[in-house]
Amino acid sequence: MENGQIAGIFDEIADLLELKQDNPFRIRSYRNAARTIRDLPHRLEDFAAKGGDPTELPSIGEAIAKKIHQILETGTCPRLEELRQQTPARLTTLMHVPGLGPRKTIQLYNQLGIDTLDALKKACDEHRIRDLPGMGEKTEQNILKGINTLKSAAGRFLYKVAAEHAASLGRHLDAIPAIKRWEVAGSFRRRKETIGDLDILVRADDRAKATAQILDYAGISEVTSRGEERLSVRLDSGLQIDLRFFEPQSFGSALLYFTGSKAHNIALRKRVQQRQWKLNEYGLFTGSRRLAGKTEQSIYRRLNLPWIPPELREDRGELEAAENNSLPKLIEHANIRGDLHCHTKHSDGAGSIEQMAQAARDRGYSYLGITDHSKLVTVANGLDEERLRRQADHIRKLNQSLDDFWLLAGVEVDILKDGRLDLGEKLLAGLDWVIASIHYHLDLDEKKMTDRLLAAVGSGVVHCLGHPFNRIIGKRDPLRFDVDKVFDACRRHSVFIEINAQPDRLDLPDTYCQRALEAGLSFAIGTDAHRESGLDLMPFGVAVARRGWVEKRNVINASTTKQLRKKIQAHS
Ligand code: DGT
Ligand code: CA
Ligand code: CA
Ligand code: ZN
């Protein structure tokens, strides 16, 4: 079993408990366990098979460890089955409709018998929801919007989930002697935030043999098509895989074609047609003569273009930039020198400050920002002023014993409904690094939300705006605010904008990065780690930055410690 599947079971238990309005701390402990498992760098199944003890992992106690063993043996656990018995099957889908949530889901089920998405949509269309206690016209509109969000996400997989499946299938492909080379193309190679299906290109010296051996893969639930050139399968998780065979002389052109995006291909083909050539997955041709095809570079070169990194291939100006020799020099994971967003045991994290610092040093970092939650987030044990002051003192003492490493005393302070901050400005002004984030009151109208963000950005004590849209991909709609106004305020007040690397957040989304750059902003790529292994999520944030044309010089945590100190000082 993949980690994502095991984590999914704990999330479902948490969902079902939420529907029962069970103890929020118990719900949180299942969510935390799910997150630990999702973030693990290795497969939990392998770890357990080698005799590893799950209780050594953060956020996993005896009770959850027992369930992990049950799940690994049977694919499920009695607690889940029992909860499923008690709750109508589809309510867990319904509760994830953005704007609905567990409480309203139960209310709609009890009062109107709604237990499917279709029934929910019908009830909204017929205006039957607005008259229920606590609901109104706006609720109906929000639910309709939420249904659309959910539908547009349906069938797509988070990049990280697709990556786990790709890695697992990849190990299988590596072990097949008939396969000489394989590459994942498509949206996966472009590192999009969600993936519709995996497109894999294969070079094999015996295709029939290779096909037979690919089909031995244990995770396949269905073969959807099978031919000489192509094999399509569906995995147990529902993820569709398209495998296509190519010969070496065409491998580069196939990689170019199937990496896409479609829009990039079309724009590129225009340049091909101007020369009266032809470009397809088999090569670049003039008449029937092959001009290039072995590598992507050879094709771009023939068109007088430098090689374009896959993350940029979205027809957002990359071909023009390539022509002018002004492609960005994209940020790389190796450029990152520290992480400026993490949580510890003091709020809802699993590690101590010392453990997180050591984990950061183990990753070669020069600094780490400790940014626990503030008191508003009671379910996460957020810090009040007294606890934060003590934490900051502790961090400053620790710093004296740390050579060549800077532990920043920081906080992730909540932005209240009216734009004030959850902790006193005097205390905040004395910290090294203040992230301000929204976690509550998400449904303000655009004007109020804009004013709220402007107030926080303009407070003078905030260094960074955390996960600006507060979206959860496919589950919670982004906040609505006037992006240009907020970006402009960030520039005026030298506030950095976060690219949160949590795989289901990826916030700032890549599509806004270019706009933020144009507005003159710089970024902080933060993992929002809640345990040591959470620091390893950094590449997911870097992928967003790369898709957003971001360079090393635009990222504050690609600075040296000296530069970082200077940049932060310049702020205050
Ligand atoms: P996905 O799977 O929805 O996340 O997105 P992609 O980009 O992986 O799209 P997919 O799997 O439908 O096709 C893979 C690549 O194949 C796509 O990025 C570009 C290329 N491609 C597919 N259909 C067309 C087409 O009609 N015209 C052109 N020029 N390229 C295409
Ligand atoms: Ca695809
Ligand atoms: Ca495909
Ligand atoms: Zn947060």
Side-chain angles (χ1 to χ4, degrees):
M1 274 181 105
E2 294 303 319
N3 294 342
Q5 290 168 281
I6 304 169
I9 290 179
F10 289 114
D11 267 332
E12 190 180 341
I13 293 179
D15 284 352
L16 289 163
L17 290 173
E18 271 196 66
L19 285 167
K20 288 180 60 170
Q21 294 178 27
D22 203 278
N23 178 338
F25 291 91
R26 179 161 26 222
I27 294 169
R28 191 100 184 164
S29 72
Y30 281 109
R31 295 258 184 248
N32 286 342
R35 185 140 68 163
T36 294
I37 294 165
R38 261 200 199 92
D39 290 355
L40 287 178
H42 48 259
R43 290 178 79 217
L44 182 56
E45 179 162 12
D46 298 341
F47 172 79
K50 278 187 225 133
D53 175 5
T55 63
E56 284 167 16
L57 303 170
S59 306
I60 293 183
E62 294 290 342
I64 287 181
K66 191 170 146 211
K67 292 189 178 67
I68 290 173
H69 289 300
Q70 291 166 341
I71 292 166
L72 289 174
E73 263 165 46
T74 67
T76 181
C77 71
R79 182 73 179 126
L80 173 66
E81 296 306 322
E82 177 196 347
L83 285 165
R84 278 179 174 167
Q85 295 278 310
Q86 295 167 1
T87 317
R90 295 198 186 86
L91 293 192
T92 48
T93 314
L94 277 191
M95 69 179 266
H96 289 304
V97 172
L100 205 53
R103 221 171 281 257
K104 287 190 190 127
T105 300
I106 285 291
Q107 190 186 355
L108 291 176
Y109 177 69
N110 289 340
Q111 297 182 341
L112 299 177
I114 293 172
D115 68 349
T116 64
L117 277 180
D118 287 341
L120 180 65
K121 177 154 188 329
K122 197 151 166 272
C124 286
D125 288 338
E126 293 169 357
H127 304 314
R128 280 187 287 129
I129 289 176
R130 59 179 63 178
D131 299 329
L132 297 180
M135 310 220 186
E137 239 184 282
K138 218 174 128 204
T139 321
E140 264 175 11
Q141 288 163 4
N142 281 342
I143 292 174
L144 279 175
K145 258 189 53 204
I147 293 174
N148 285 334
T149 307
L150 202 67
K151 286 219 167 119
S152 62
R156 297 193 67 84
F157 290 74
L158 286 180
Y159 176 82
K160 178 164 190 284
V161 175
E164 285 174 7
H165 290 298
S168 172
L169 178 62
R171 284 191 290 273
H172 181 75
L173 299 180
D174 280 340
I176 298 176
I179 293 181
K180 298 301 168 204
R181 183 182 176 192
W182 62 271
E183 299 283 346
V184 187
S187 52
F188 185 81
R189 185 160 176 249
R190 304 196 314 278
R191 296 182 179 265
K192 258 188 92 157
E193 61 191 32
T194 64
I195 304 299
D197 67 359
L198 284 180
D199 305 280
I200 302 182
L201 309 182
V202 181
R203 181 156 79 72
D205 46 16
D206 182 339
R207 291 183 183 182
K209 218 181 198 171
T211 300
Q213 291 183 318
I214 292 169
L215 291 174
D216 285 341
Y217 183 59
I220 294 175
S221 68
E222 190 191 344
V223 179
T224 45
S225 84
R226 178 178 179 170
E228 166 82 2
E229 309 271 311
R230 180 172 165 180
L231 171 67
S232 290
V233 299
R234 191 180 300 284
L235 301 185
D236 296 333
S237 58
L239 182 62
Q240 174 85 31
I241 318 268
D242 287 337
L243 299 117
R244 296 180 179 84
F245 291 103
F246 285 93
E247 297 303 318
Q249 73 269 19
S250 298
F251 209 88
S253 46
L255 198 52
L256 181 62
Y257 182 87
F258 287 106
T259 296
S261 65
K262 199 170 157 182
H264 178 84
N265 287 353
I266 290 169
L268 190 62
R269 202 166 307 143
K270 273 196 202 125
R271 284 157 171 83
V272 173
Q273 281 160 354
Q274 282 163 6
R275 294 167 164 84
Q276 317 221 317
W277 293 343
K278 203 178 84 192
L279 175 65
N280 59 27
E281 61 267 51
Y282 298 104
L284 177 67
F285 299 92
T286 171
S288 59
R289 190 163 67 88
R290 177 192 302 274
L291 296 170
K294 239 186 195 159
T295 64
E296 287 188 333
Q297 280 85 346
S298 67
I299 298 165
Y300 282 118
R301 201 182 311 125
R302 261 305 194 155
L303 297 167
N304 274 329
L305 296 169
W307 180 80
I308 301 178
E311 293 94 329
L312 294 181
R313 300 184 196 169
E314 298 290 347
D315 194 24
R316 294 183 196 150
E318 71 277 11
L319 283 163
E320 292 77 4
E323 260 161 15
N324 304 331
N325 231 337
S326 61
L327 280 174
K329 197 174 173 318
L330 297 179
I331 175 100
E332 291 173 13
H333 183 215
N335 300 142
I336 300 293
R337 291 168 179 265
D339 196 333
L340 294 172
H341 191 162
C342 81
H343 298 268
T344 72
K345 272 182 183 163
H346 294 240
S347 66
D348 61 341
S352 66
I353 296 173
E354 290 82 351
Q355 284 167 333
M356 294 304 288
Q358 187 55 47
R361 301 193 79 164
D362 292 344
R363 285 156 181 78
Y365 286 164
S366 308
Y367 45 86
L368 176 71
I370 302 291
T371 53
D372 275 311
H373 285 291
S374 65
K375 61 182 189 284
L376 186 68
V377 194
T378 45
V379 286
N381 189 24
L383 301 174
D384 61 17
E385 300 192 0
E386 184 46 40
R387 287 175 61 216
L388 178 57
R389 201 171 283 125
R390 263 187 280 137
Q391 187 194 55
D393 286 345
H394 178 65
I395 290 172
R396 298 226 158 89
K397 276 203 199 91
L398 271 178
N399 262 316
Q400 293 169 1
S401 62
L402 291 170
D403 292 335
D404 297 329
F405 191 82
W406 185 23
L407 207 49
L408 286 80
V411 72
E412 180 184 13
V413 63
D414 255 68
I415 302 174
L416 304 180
K417 191 175 173 187
D418 61 3
R420 283 180 306 138
L421 300 172
D422 188 28
L423 297 168
E425 294 196 351
K426 209 169 143 202
L427 172 61
L428 295 175
L431 296 176
D432 301 322
W433 180 249
V434 176
I435 300 176
S437 305
I438 287 180
H439 295 110
Y440 294 102
H441 304 292
L442 309 180
D443 52 1
L444 302 189
D445 65 34
E446 183 176 323
K447 168 88 177 55
K448 287 206 177 101
M449 193 63 83
T450 305
D451 289 344
R452 179 185 186 185
L453 285 164
L454 292 179
V457 165
S459 67
V461 294
V462 169
H463 296 99
C464 178
L465 186 60
H467 46 69
F469 284 95
N470 196 39
R471 65 157 179 182
I472 303 291
I473 295 173
K475 291 193 176 162
R476 187 166 70 214
D477 283 334
L479 301 179
R480 284 169 302 146
F481 57 88
D482 185 329
V483 174
D484 293 321
K485 268 193 188 158
V486 171
F487 282 2
D488 186 57
C490 287
R491 182 187 49 75
R492 279 185 288 113
H493 296 280
S494 310
V495 168
F496 294 91
I497 198 132
E498 181 175 73
I499 296 176
N500 189 293
Q502 291 283 318
D504 58 351
R505 284 192 181 269
L506 301 180
D507 183 8
L508 201 63
D510 60 44
T511 44
Y512 286 96
C513 288
Q514 263 176 304
R515 237 161 108 187
L517 283 174
E518 279 160 25
L521 301 190
S522 296
F523 304 86
I525 307 177
T527 60
D528 203 347
H530 282 69
R531 52 194 49 76
E532 291 147 281
S533 62
L535 295 174
D536 296 323
L537 296 171
M538 188 58 80
F540 299 100
V542 172
V544 172
R546 290 173 61 86
R547 286 182 54 80
W549 293 55
V550 174
E551 306 189 358
K552 179 182 165 194
R553 64 193 167 97
N554 308 124
V555 176
I556 188 175
N557 54 314
S559 314
T560 62
T561 309
K562 211 169 138 193
Q563 291 164 335
L564 177 68
R565 279 189 199 277
K566 239 194 198 151
K567 285 181 187 171
I568 292 180
Q569 259 159 24
H571 170 276
S572 39

